Amino acid sequence: MQPSPDPQPGRAFLTASYTLGVFLGVGLGLYGVFLVPAGPRPGGMLLSLGVLVALVGNGGAALLVRWLTGTRLGPTTVLIGWAVVVLLFASSRPEGDLLLRASGSGYAFLLLGALSPIAVAVLVGARRGLTALPPGC
């Protein structure tokens, strides 16, 4: 007798999970943007805590949403919410305000924040739905 396959989550649960991913991305984007420029550097760290938030927070949120949904689309919802906020604050405003400056920390924040959900989507296997890699990889 074969084990029964995992039950498929309902449409309402998937919608709530994808929405959670977008909101987590928005929250992490706001938190990171305000921590990168003048963020704390405990113990003489080279980069601010905003870069660590971008790497660990975005990766952790992407893993959570991937676990909830079981699809590769789940982690990308974190990236969508994060990118909207970060790109909005990275652009200069008519008043001359700029929250995310062109510095090493700023570029590391952008690179690591964007790559961590993508890495989760590609490297962590999906339980269901379309996959980027063929079965058995």
Side-chain angles (χ1 to χ4, degrees):
M1 180 190 259
Q2 291 190 4
S4 63
D6 290 334
Q8 298 296 320
R11 214 176 265 268
F13 180 78
L14 285 176
T15 301
S17 298
Y18 291 137
T19 305
L20 174 68
V22 171
F23 281 125
L24 285 173
V26 167
L28 287 166
L30 284 172
Y31 192 66
V33 163
F34 288 106
L35 275 182
V36 166
R41 289 176 165 74
M45 287 176 46
L46 179 62
L47 299 174
S48 69
L49 284 180
V51 176
L52 185 64
V53 167
L55 180 64
V56 176
N58 287 9
L63 277 171
L64 172 70
V65 178
R66 209 265 337 132
W67 177 73
L68 288 172
T69 62
T71 65
R72 293 189 191 274
L73 177 62
T76 59
T77 60
V78 175
L79 177 62
I80 291 167
W82 181 85
V84 167
V85 169
V86 169
L87 293 178
L88 179 69
F89 283 116
S91 62
S92 62
R93 299 166 32 114
E95 301 89 28
D97 297 339
L98 184 64
L99 292 176
L100 191 59
R101 295 184 178 94
S103 64
S105 291
Y107 290 130
F109 173 72
L110 288 173
L111 181 69
L112 294 174
L115 287 182
S116 57
I118 293 171
V120 169
V122 171
L123 298 177
V124 179
R127 294 187 314 265
R128 55 187 207 81
L130 298 175
T131 61
L133 302 173
C137 287

